[in-house]
Amino acid sequence: MADPYQNNGGYGYQGESYPQEEDAASDATEGHDDEDQMYEGEYQGIPHPDEVKAAQRAARAKARQAQAGATELEELAEQYEDIMEDCGHGRFQWTLFIVLGLALMADGVECFVVGFVLPSAEKDMCLSNGEKGMLGLIVFLGMMVGAFIWGGMADKLGRQKCLIWALTVNCVFAFLSSFAQGYGFFLFFRLFSGIGIGGSVPIVYSYFSEFLQMDKRGEHLSWLCMFWMVGGIYASFTAWGIIPRYGWGFSMGTEFQFHGWRVFVLVCALPAITSLVGLMFMPESPRFLLENAKHDEAWMILKNVHDTNWRAKGQPEKVFQVTHIKAPKTNEDEFIEIQSATGTAIQRWAVRTLTLCKLVGPKMNVASLLGPELRLSTLFMAIIWFTMAFSYYGLGVWFPDMIKYLQQEEYESKVKVFHRERVERFHFNFSLENQIHREGEYINDKFINIEMKSVKFEDSLFEDCYFEDIKSTETMFENCTIRSTVFYNTDLYEEKFIDCKLENTTFLHNKRGCHLDNDEENDVLIYLVSFLGSLAVLPGNIISALFMEKIGRVKIIGLSMLISAGCTFFLFLSFSQAAIIAWQCLFCGVSVAAWNGIEVITVELYPASKRATAFGVLNALCKLAAILGSSIFASFVGVTKVVPILLSCAALVCGGLVALKLPETREKILQ
C-alpha cells in the first residue's frame, strides 16, 4: 500500500488532498474568500514568491532525478533546503542573529582589549618591552589554539553545546585576568580567555548558516559580520570612558592594585556573558542532529522554527508538513561505547574522551580536509585566509604604531636645549618637560614637588642640591657628577643615573613600584584611531551584504583584495597623522568586504560534517598569519615603510588572484 505521506520527490511532506468535511474549514480562514487572498503583483505579471520557490524546488527535483547516483547526504541537503524554505526567515533567525552576533562581538572586543590596557597594565606589572610584546601576541596564540580545537569539537559534539563551553571558558578567564596582579598569572589567564573566544568565529558562522535558506545565506551572514565592527566600537568607547585617568580605582596596600583598566577588562566580558545567557535558550543545529542520526530531535526543532516564524507573521494556522526526514547512516564506531555490562561509567567516559581527542587532533582535523574532493578548495582557502590576515592584522598594528612614531618625532622636534647654564640657589617649583641640559652647573638648588617629563641632563654638575616629591617620565642623568645631594621621596632610581659619579649622595624614602614611575595619561588618539577604523567598516559591510547574492562571493573577495592592495600603495604618499588615519579607514572599509566573502564561502564550500572543522583550521591559520604580520610590520616602524607596504600589497594581490579561481557558491545548496 502506498504511503500517503510520501510526496514531493519521496520526502515526507503531508499531502494536501485529504478529504475534508464541508464544515471542516479552519476558523483562521473564516470570513475570507479567494479574491481577498489575491497576490497584488499578479496584475503586473510578477510571479508570487511561493511560485518562484516552487519552481526552484521543481528544478532541483528534476536535477536530482537526472543524477541517478545521488548519495544520502546529497538527498538530505536537498530536503533540508526545502524544509528551510518552508520554515521561512523570521523571528527565530533574527533572535539567533542577535545571540550569535554578541558572540562575534566578543571576538572583536578580545582583539582590542590587550592593546588598550597595555599602557596602564605595564605600570601595574612593571612590564618590559619584551613582556609587553608577548602579552600582545598571547591573545592571538590562544585564539589560534581555540579555533582549531573548538571547530573540530563542534562537528563532533554540536554547535550550540561547544559554543556555550567556549564562551564559558572565555568569561571565566577574562574575569580572573582582571584581578591578576602578577604578569605570569595575567598572561596565563589571557591565554585561556583567547582559547575560549577562539571558538566563537568558526562555530557562529557554521551554526547560523544551518538555519538559513539558500537565497538568504550570503546576505545575512554578511550582516552578521557587522557585529565584529560593533565589538571594535564598543571596546573603543568603553576604553575611552574608563581607562584614560590611570589613577581611577582603589588599592589594598602595595600588593593589590585595582585601577580603571581592570574594570575595562571586566566590562569587555559583557558581550560574551550576554551571548552565553541567550544561547541557553537556543536549540542545537538540526542539520548537525540529522548528520548524527538524531531525527526526532531535529524534527522538533525544525517544527519550532517553522511555527515561531509563521506565528510572528500572523499565520499561526500554517502547518509544518514534514513527517519524515531521510537521515543518513552514521559510523557509530567513531565514538566507541563500552556497554554498561562490560565497563564502568568512568571507563566509558575515558574511552569517549580519548576517542574525541583523537578525532579533533591536528592529524585527523587537517587530514579530513585534504581528501580528493576538498584538497584544492582547502589549499586555495588557506592561501586566501593567510594572505588576507597577514596584511590586515599587520597593517592594523603598523597604522597606530606609525601614528605614535610621527607623534614622537613631532614632540622631539620641539625639544628645548640648554647649554652650559649655571643655576645657583634657585627653587625649581615648576615642571620640566621635553628638555636637554648639557654641561650645566646646579649649585645649592632645590627641586621640590615637580614633574619631569622627557628631561635629560648630560655632563652636568649637581652640588648641594635637594630633590623632593619628584615624579618623572623618561628622565635620565648621563655622565653627571652629583655631590652632597639628597633625593627624598622621589622615583629617580639608580638605573636613571647612567655613568654618573655619586659622591656623598643620599636617597631617602624612594617611591617604590613601577606604576609610580610614569604618570602619563593614555593618549586619547589611540581610542580615536581604533574607533574610526572600526566605524569605517560600516559602508563596506553594508555594500557587501547587499551585493553578496547579486555579484557573488568570488568576485567580492577578489575585487576587494585587489582594491585593498591598491590602497596600500597610497601609503607612500602619507607623511602626516591625518593622512595615515584616512588611508587606514579606507583600507578597513574595503577589506571588510573581502572578509565577509571569505567567511561566507568558507561555510558553503564544506559539508556539514566538516564545516566547523574547516572553519576552525582556516581561522587558526588566520591567527598565525596575524601573529607573523603584526610582529614583522611592527619591527619596521621608524625604520622604513617600504617593506610593510610591499609585503601587504604582494600578499593581497596573491590572495585576490587565487580567490578568482574558487568555485562560485551563491546558488549552491548547503551540503
Side-chain angles (χ1 to χ4, degrees):
M1 180 177 176
D3 188 350
Y5 292 82
Q6 298 297 319
N7 296 326
N8 202 354
Y11 297 147
Y13 284 84
Q14 292 180 357
E16 298 185 1
S17 58
Y18 289 108
Q20 295 184 353
E21 296 180 10
E22 292 182 2
D23 297 332
S26 171
D27 292 338
T29 59
E30 188 175 350
H32 296 266
D33 54 30
D34 292 339
E35 292 180 359
D36 293 334
Q37 303 298 324
M38 184 172 290
Y39 173 53
E40 62 181 7
E42 184 176 344
Y43 294 110
Q44 305 171 18
I46 302 174
H48 193 281
D50 290 343
E51 295 177 4
V52 175
K53 289 182 180 179
Q56 292 174 343
R57 190 175 295 181
R60 290 200 297 267
K62 186 176 180 180
R64 186 168 60 246
Q65 291 175 357
Q67 187 180 5
T71 65
E72 287 184 336
L73 288 175
E74 290 172 342
E75 291 182 357
L76 171 61
E78 294 278 355
Q79 186 184 13
Y80 193 80
E81 178 62 30
D82 293 345
I83 294 172
M84 292 314 302
E85 287 181 356
D86 287 341
C87 289
H89 189 93
R91 176 178 291 175
F92 178 87
Q93 279 84 359
W94 285 114
T95 304
L96 185 63
F97 174 82
I98 298 297
V99 172
L100 296 182
L102 288 168
L104 199 59
M105 178 179 168
D107 180 86
V109 170
E110 189 78 12
C111 293
F112 289 91
V113 170
V114 171
F116 285 147
V117 305
L118 264 182
S120 297
E122 67 175 310
K123 306 169 195 175
D124 268 5
M125 300 182 187
C126 309
L127 302 183
S128 65
N129 288 333
E131 289 172 334
K132 287 191 290 183
M134 176 57 69
L135 193 54
L137 295 178
I138 200 69
V139 174
F140 286 110
L141 180 62
M143 295 172 81
M144 179 179 73
V145 174
F148 195 91
I149 293 174
W150 295 115
M153 289 182 65
D155 278 335
K156 303 300 179 185
L157 301 178
R159 282 78 161 107
Q160 183 239 19
K161 183 187 298 183
C162 286
L163 187 54
I164 288 176
W165 290 350
L167 291 177
T168 301
V169 170
N170 172 250
C171 293
V172 169
F173 284 97
F175 176 81
L176 293 175
S177 71
S178 69
F179 293 94
Q181 297 297 303
Y183 170 73
F185 279 112
F186 188 74
L187 191 73
F188 176 79
F189 291 146
R190 292 316 300 182
L191 171 65
F192 276 86
S193 174
I195 290 175
I197 202 61
S200 64
V201 171
I203 299 177
V204 160
Y205 285 100
S206 302
Y207 189 16
F208 192 51
S209 68
E210 291 170 353
F211 283 98
L212 298 173
Q213 58 200 68
M214 183 174 61
D215 59 345
K216 302 282 187 183
R217 196 166 57 231
E219 178 184 350
H220 288 272
L221 286 175
S222 297
W223 290 127
L224 187 66
C225 296
M226 291 183 67
F227 277 92
W228 203 91
M229 171 203 73
V230 175
I233 294 174
Y234 174 81
S236 302
F237 262 119
T238 53
W240 175 77
I242 295 173
I243 296 177
R245 288 286 178 182
Y246 170 70
W248 190 95
F250 67 90
S251 61
M252 297 174 63
T254 59
E255 298 298 325
F256 186 84
Q257 305 286 336
F258 197 90
H259 293 107
W261 69 269
R262 296 181 182 277
V263 179
F264 169 69
V265 172
L266 285 176
V267 171
C268 283
L270 290 179
I273 294 172
T274 309
S275 178
L276 183 60
V277 173
L279 279 168
M280 300 294 184
F281 301 95
M282 292 292 108
E284 181 55 80
S285 163
R287 184 61 186 272
F288 166 80
L289 295 172
L290 290 170
E291 293 280 338
N292 289 272
K294 297 180 179 179
H295 170 275
D296 293 341
E297 190 175 345
W299 185 89
M300 288 298 296
I301 292 170
L302 289 169
K303 182 179 185 301
N304 180 57
V305 173
H306 176 280
D307 293 347
T308 299
N309 286 343
W310 288 109
R311 276 198 303 267
K313 294 177 182 179
Q315 300 184 48
E317 74 281 356
K318 192 148 186 172
V319 178
F320 185 59
Q321 297 180 343
V322 178
T323 59
H324 177 72
I325 307 173
K326 288 188 176 181
K329 296 179 181 178
T330 60
N331 296 324
E332 296 295 338
D333 56 341
E334 282 191 346
F335 285 95
I336 303 173
E337 294 283 355
I338 299 178
Q339 299 300 323
S340 57
T342 60
T344 65
I346 295 177
Q347 288 177 315
R348 293 194 299 274
W349 175 85
V351 170
R352 284 197 298 268
T353 303
L354 290 173
T355 306
L356 177 63
C357 291
K358 180 181 177 182
L359 290 173
V360 301
K363 184 177 179 181
M364 290 292 290
N365 264 7
V366 176
S368 67
L369 306 178
L370 297 178
E373 295 181 355
L374 298 175
R375 187 179 300 135
L376 193 60
S377 295
T378 300
L379 176 62
F380 285 171
M381 291 306 302
I383 293 172
I384 295 166
W385 272 92
F386 187 90
T387 54
M388 187 67 204
F390 180 81
S391 301
Y392 183 83
Y393 288 102
L395 288 175
V397 169
W398 185 83
F399 281 126
D401 282 358
M402 194 64 187
I403 290 170
K404 291 178 186 177
Y405 175 74
L406 292 176
Q407 282 181 314
Q408 186 64 25
E409 272 194 333
E410 183 181 354
Y411 183 75
E412 291 176 355
S413 69
K414 299 176 181 178
V415 66
K416 296 178 181 178
V417 180
F418 300 86
H419 192 65
R420 292 185 177 179
E421 64 178 350
R422 180 181 175 87
V423 183
E424 190 171 353
R425 298 182 183 278
F426 186 77
H427 184 182
F428 288 87
N429 56 3
F430 50 87
S431 296
L432 306 178
E433 180 176 356
N434 200 19
Q435 299 175 2
I436 297 177
H437 299 262
R438 293 188 177 126
E439 300 180 13
E441 294 183 2
Y442 305 91
I443 311 299
N444 203 13
D445 294 326
K446 294 183 178 180
F447 301 79
I448 299 177
N449 194 25
I450 66 173
E451 294 184 13
M452 295 181 175
K453 181 177 180 181
S454 299
V455 179
K456 189 175 184 181
F457 295 94
E458 297 177 352
D459 303 306
S460 298
L461 171 65
F462 292 85
E463 189 169 351
D464 293 319
C465 292
Y466 182 76
F467 291 80
E468 182 179 348
D469 289 330
I470 305 297
K471 295 181 179 180
S472 65
T473 301
E474 297 177 4
T475 296
M476 308 295 293
F477 296 79
E478 187 173 342
N479 259 347
C480 295
T481 300
I482 304 174
R483 296 177 187 154
S484 303
T485 296
V486 175
F487 293 88
Y488 181 84
N489 192 32
T490 73
D491 59 2
L492 298 173
Y493 310 118
E494 291 184 5
E495 57 266 23
K496 295 192 175 184
F497 297 87
I498 303 172
D499 297 327
C500 293
K501 294 180 181 179
L502 302 178
E503 301 174 1
N504 195 26
T505 299
T506 306
F507 293 88
L508 298 173
H509 303 288
N510 267 10
K511 296 179 180 180
R512 297 297 177 185
C514 54
H515 59 282
L516 296 174
D517 184 59
N518 190 320
D519 197 37
E520 180 184 8
E521 293 182 9
N522 288 347
D523 192 351
V524 176
L525 187 62
I526 296 174
Y527 312 123
L528 179 63
V529 169
S530 299
F531 170 75
L532 292 177
S534 300
L535 191 62
V537 168
L538 181 60
N541 254 319
I542 294 174
I543 292 171
S544 62
L546 295 177
F547 289 94
M548 189 66 71
E549 298 294 346
K550 296 179 176 65
I551 297 177
R553 292 80 161 120
V554 172
K555 290 181 180 178
I556 282 184
I557 298 171
L559 291 175
S560 298
M561 292 185 75
L562 293 175
I563 294 172
S564 297
C567 290
T568 60
F569 260 108
F570 287 97
L571 290 172
F572 282 117
L573 306 176
S574 302
F575 302 101
S576 67
Q577 298 176 41
I580 290 178
I581 293 174
W583 286 114
Q584 177 194 13
C585 292
L586 181 60
F587 175 79
C588 292
V590 174
S591 60
V592 71
W595 275 122
N596 290 1
I598 290 170
E599 285 154 347
V600 171
I601 203 168
T602 301
V603 163
E604 297 173 335
L605 278 176
Y606 294 92
S609 59
K610 298 179 177 65
R611 183 169 296 124
T613 299
F615 214 122
V617 170
L618 293 171
N619 197 250
L621 185 65
C622 163
K623 296 305 185 287
L624 175 62
I627 293 173
L628 294 175
S630 56
S631 302
I632 293 172
F633 282 46
S635 65
F636 288 101
V637 174
V639 179
T640 177
K641 60 182 179 181
V642 174
V643 176
I645 292 173
L646 291 181
L647 280 176
S648 61
C649 185
L652 289 167
V653 169
C654 175
L657 293 177
V658 170
L660 297 176
K661 298 291 184 181
L662 288 172
E664 183 54 68
T665 57
R666 61 175 166 169
E667 295 182 355
K668 179 182 176 182
I669 290 175
L670 207 61
Q671 296 300 311

